[in-house]
Amino acid sequence: MGRRDGGRCRAGEPVRVPTVERFLVTGGARLAGTVEVAGAKNSVLKLMAAALLAEGTTTISNCPEILDVPLMADVLRGLGAEVVIEGDTVVITTPAELSHHADFPAVGRLRASVCVLGPLMGRCRRAEVALPGGDAIGSRPLDMHQSGLRAMGATMNIEHGKVVGRASSLHGASIGLDFPSVGATENILMAAVLADGTTIIDNAAREPEIIDLAQLLAQMGARIDGVGTATITIEGVDPVFMTAPLERLSRAGAQIDTEQDAVTVTMAERPRAVDFITMPYPGFPTDLQPMALALAAVADGHSLITENVFEARFRFVDELIRMGADARTDGHHASLRGREQLSSAPVWSTDIRAGAGLVLAGLAAEGVTEVHEVMHIDRGYPHFVEDLQKLGGQIERVG
Ligand code: EPZ
């Protein structure tokens, strides 16, 4: 986050300029009730990219109504596809001829836009994709995406701020990932379905969104095995994939009841302090780390949170400290001694999940917390304020 008005801020610290639109969160209300869980941002955006792989119409339903979906639609339109968004349904019509240039502003606003790289290399055997934007939670290089495509016969370079790929043909390959990167697994998977021969991805990501993508690709005619494991196999999906977060919540004292398509969480008393370690799936998801920090800030006891996926995802802690949290960070560890109650303060969202974490902290604070830069939250959560209000949360969007 750079300097905006000449004011001085430490590297990585948000520029705390009050935003017109913000949430006012009044703490203390007990939450109770039921909300519908919408489709996942990190799934729908990749399914939209996958639609580029075949000429014709692809319909995706139960899409979350979030800012990132129309942003991704702009990326696909820039490549020549037609995209119609009606409520929670997205209809994509892909033409016979696609442009391979994805170097327009829409790409710079969305990390997921990099997931057109695989489909373009698969369909067009060439791609020019502007380096993506998205949440500043770490350096987020694309070396594994590129080395995977190189192994399939492509030349890949970064030129003039773009990832440039060319291939006379793409062939199957054995690709071992240094880290189970979600984005690299998705791009290699989407390029491989149109390559000659068999591709094996070792140490592949296993996040649920990979399974969603593979299921769409299979519907489109792809033959894929091993999705969901480190060496890809198709498995039926059911709700067990929330195991790590639910296990931590129950360790903190929550009563957890799971049914086929619903989870009920009841926390009767002050949560107990528990440690969290973020890991690739099926470990504790890094995208829930800010919520874990908010829980730890009011839990009974000392918690240690270890972030293993993104090296700059603790910027959020400074905002919690403004709310009176007893917290400190050291490299990829954050340690917190829980307080009975936090105190309200004006705070700034620095990315999607941090914004949501601040609202949760505000719900557990005394007074009215002003959460600024809420557009981050809108990028990732559909009807966030309304769902919390449904549960009895005292929150409103103003400005
Ligand atoms: C996806 O990011 C999600 N974003 C992230 O969610 C999520 O936190 C992350 O996966 C992990 O689950 C989208 O799907 C749009 P990675 P992605 O490739 O694909 C390093 C949110 O809030 N790496 O698994 O970028 C990388 O720097 C967002 O919804 C390389 O070094 O994640 C990171 O440290 C935030 N080289 C780690 O691997 C590469 O070529 C994991 O990155 C690729 C990744």
Side-chain angles (χ1 to χ4, degrees), residues 41-42 45-46 111-112 135 137 139-145 179-184 186 207 209 286-287 309-311 313 352-353:
K41 167 182 83 79
N42 294 342
L45 301 176
K46 318 312 169 42
R111 170 80 192 184
D135 288 346
I137 52 181
S139 55
R140 308 185 84 171
L142 299 172
D143 54 311
M144 289 188 255
H145 301 239
F179 184 92
S181 153
V182 171
E186 291 163 336
E207 274 72 1
E209 52 262 40
T286 176
D287 294 350
V309 180
F310 290 108
E311 74 278 8
R313 199 158 210 178
I352 297 171
R353 312 304 171 180

Side-chain angles (χ1 to χ4, degrees), residues 5-147:
D5 59 351
R8 183 80 208 87
C9 61
R10 268 184 295 125
E13 210 181 75
V15 175
R16 292 192 177 86
V17 175
T19 48
V20 175
E21 191 172 19
R22 59 207 185 284
F23 294 162
L24 298 183
V25 185
T26 306
R30 181 174 171 73
L31 300 185
T34 303
V35 289
E36 289 282 318
V37 176
K41 167 182 83 79
N42 294 342
S43 181
V44 66
L45 301 176
K46 318 312 169 42
L47 301 182
M48 291 172 72
L52 296 171
L53 284 163
E55 186 187 346
T57 301
T58 301
T59 303
I60 307 170
S61 54
N62 191 32
C63 300
E65 296 174 49
I66 53 173
L67 284 182
D68 277 13
V69 168
L71 280 180
M72 191 65 172
D74 284 348
V75 173
L76 301 188
R77 291 189 189 105
L79 294 166
E82 268 172 46
V83 185
V84 177
I85 303 175
E86 270 160 21
D88 67 356
T89 302
V90 177
V91 180
I92 301 157
T93 305
T94 302
E97 291 300 318
L98 271 180
S99 157
H100 67 277
H101 294 277
D103 51 0
F104 29 79
V107 174
R109 297 170 64 195
L110 190 65
R111 170 80 192 184
S113 58
V114 77
C115 279
V116 301
L117 182 63
L120 291 178
M121 290 305 294
R123 283 231 28 220
C124 315
R125 300 291 192 249
R126 51 192 177 147
E128 291 193 17
V129 180
L131 290 175
D135 288 346
I137 52 181
S139 55
R140 308 185 84 171
L142 299 172
D143 54 311
M144 289 188 255
H145 301 239
Q146 295 181 77
S147 51

Side-chain angles (χ1 to χ4, degrees), residues 293 296-297 301-307 314-322 324-339:
L293 279 165
H302 177 266
S303 312
L304 183 67
I305 284 117
T306 306
E307 173 57 53
F314 278 143
R315 294 186 304 152
F316 163 77
V317 174
D318 291 343
E319 301 306 298
L320 269 189
I321 290 171
R322 295 164 65 83
D326 176 352
R328 60 190 56 73
T329 61
D330 172 12
H332 63 176
H333 295 297
S335 79
L336 291 92
R337 181 156 300 288
R339 289 247 148 98

